[in-house]
Amino acid sequence: MTERAVTEADLNRGFMALADPVRRHLIARLSRGPATVNELAEPFPISTQAISKHIQVLEQAGLVARTREAQRRPVHLVPERLEAMTAWIDRYRLVKESQFRNLDRLLDQDSTPGRDRAPDTRRRPS
Amino acid sequence: MTERAVTEADLNRGFMALADPVRRHLIARLSRGPATVNELAEPFPISTQAISKHIQVLEQAGLVARTREAQRRPVHLVPERLEAMTAWIDRYRLVKESQFRNLDRLLDQDSTPGRDRAPDTRRRPS
DNA sequence: TGGTTGATAAACCTTATGGTTGAATAATGG
DNA sequence: CCATTATTCAACCATAAGGTTTATCAACCA
């Protein structure tokens, strides 16, 4: 079924697509079923053209697809790319707190012999 | 435990942060343990200042945090925000194929489903 | 056929992003 | 103190992102 590998560019476009709140709302709406551009645009205070552009962004990210229904172009969700994105995140989100604890040791073996621990002199907020 | 709710702006910054391949590589590197800015910058063909800015983006997204170790500012991963992002995606990626099958029926009955609210998510003016 | 509906295209504007270089800041170690 | 190391700040530049408005395309229907 054309299981093309997810590229870096796919992740760029995928995460960029989800970085916009309008597009996240569109995803949420489409998770309840397909909708046309006008239907999707209705709740938003921006123009239909802007929504159309958002849908193009989602489509190029592989998150949605469009079909043809008379004059309308119903949009529906394509969940596979979302799965690939969670798969990416899940590789890195399972980090143990102990890695933070290893901080001093990791830095010590680098170059500096400073055994005395650093005082908590974080930069003063301006 | 400082369990502040994840806001829309948090998701904006979080997904935007992951939309850049350099920052994703930084996340991958940091998932293996903390590192300083110079260490993080070393594999990349761009300036250390650029990496520093990337780290600031990740920090403002809540994905990493910095401590102080002598002159160095070791960076470590903060996995909680990544978890929140997968949680967001997981709400919508579990879409049945049947929803696509319902396409024609949904469009025929001219229903405008789920008019819950109009989210005003316009880009904020300066 | 021609009008209406649904959606996109094109041109444009403003702001954000990601990079650069050069200078400044902070802490360490002679 | 002073030089060195690590990092950030500041100014600048090119391009992309998100919005607008106007115009165009495509398909239905009266």
Side-chain angles (χ1 to χ4, degrees):
Chain A
M1 289 281 288
T2 63
E3 290 261 341
R4 190 178 115 277
V6 176
T7 67
E8 287 270 290
D10 289 331
L11 293 174
N12 293 350
R13 285 189 282 264
F15 285 120
M16 180 64 97
L18 295 192
D20 187 281
V22 172
R23 290 193 290 261
R24 285 200 305 277
H25 280 286
L26 294 176
I27 292 285
R29 166 65 185 83
L30 291 171
S31 75
R32 303 196 296 272
T36 68
V37 176
N38 275 344
E39 287 169 355
L40 291 170
E42 194 271 329
F44 294 97
I46 62 177
S47 68
T48 309
Q49 291 94 322
I51 298 294
S52 183
K53 284 210 266 183
H54 279 301
I55 292 168
Q56 288 180 63
V57 171
L58 290 169
E59 187 180 38
Q60 291 198 310
L63 295 172
V64 307
R66 282 182 285 189
T67 52
R68 160 77 66 177
E69 174 85 13
Q71 312 105 307
R72 295 166 223 99
R73 286 146 186 85
V75 187
H76 65 96
L77 203 59
V78 178
E80 286 78 14
R81 186 56 49 84
L82 287 178
E83 294 179 28
M85 293 167 67
T86 50
W88 188 92
I89 297 180
D90 286 349
R91 255 184 288 162
Y92 306 115
R93 75 182 179 88
L94 308 165
V95 176
K96 296 280 183 299
E97 181 74 11
S98 61
Q99 290 195 338
F100 184 28
R101 296 276 174 264
N102 290 339
L103 172 61
D104 295 313
R105 188 171 51 74
L106 278 163
L107 290 170
D108 283 349
Q109 74 191 12
D110 189 33
S111 61
T112 321
R115 180 50 255 175
D116 46 347
R117 67 177 63 249
D120 189 17
T121 51
R122 66 189 66 187
R123 218 159 74 101
R124 299 171 34 188
S126 50
Chain B
M1 308 282 285
T2 64
E3 292 258 342
R4 181 171 68 60
V6 176
T7 67
E8 287 271 289
D10 289 331
L11 292 173
N12 293 350
R13 286 188 282 264
F15 284 119
M16 180 64 95
L18 295 192
D20 187 281
V22 172
R23 289 193 290 260
R24 284 200 305 278
H25 281 287
L26 293 177
I27 292 285
R29 167 63 186 84
L30 291 172
S31 75
R32 302 196 297 274
T36 68
V37 177
N38 274 345
E39 287 168 356
L40 290 170
E42 194 270 328
F44 294 97
I46 62 179
S47 67
T48 310
Q49 291 95 318
I51 298 294
S52 182
K53 283 210 263 184
H54 279 302
I55 293 168
Q56 288 180 65
V57 171
L58 290 169
E59 187 180 38
Q60 291 198 308
L63 295 172
V64 307
R66 283 181 285 189
T67 54
R68 162 74 71 180
E69 175 84 11
Q71 312 105 308
R72 295 163 222 103
R73 307 293 308 278
V75 186
H76 65 96
L77 203 60
V78 177
E80 285 78 15
R81 186 57 48 86
L82 286 178
E83 293 180 27
M85 292 166 68
T86 51
W88 187 93
I89 296 180
D90 286 348
R91 257 185 287 163
Y92 305 115
R93 75 181 178 89
L94 307 165
V95 175
K96 297 277 184 298
E97 181 76 9
S98 62
Q99 290 196 337
F100 184 27
R101 296 274 172 265
N102 289 340
L103 173 61
D104 297 311
R105 187 171 53 76
L106 278 161
L107 289 171
D108 285 348
Q109 69 192 13
D110 188 39
S111 62
T112 316
R115 296 192 37 178
D116 35 5
R117 70 199 161 96
D120 190 337
T121 43
R122 272 173 301 192
R123 223 153 58 114
R124 70 190 169 111
S126 65

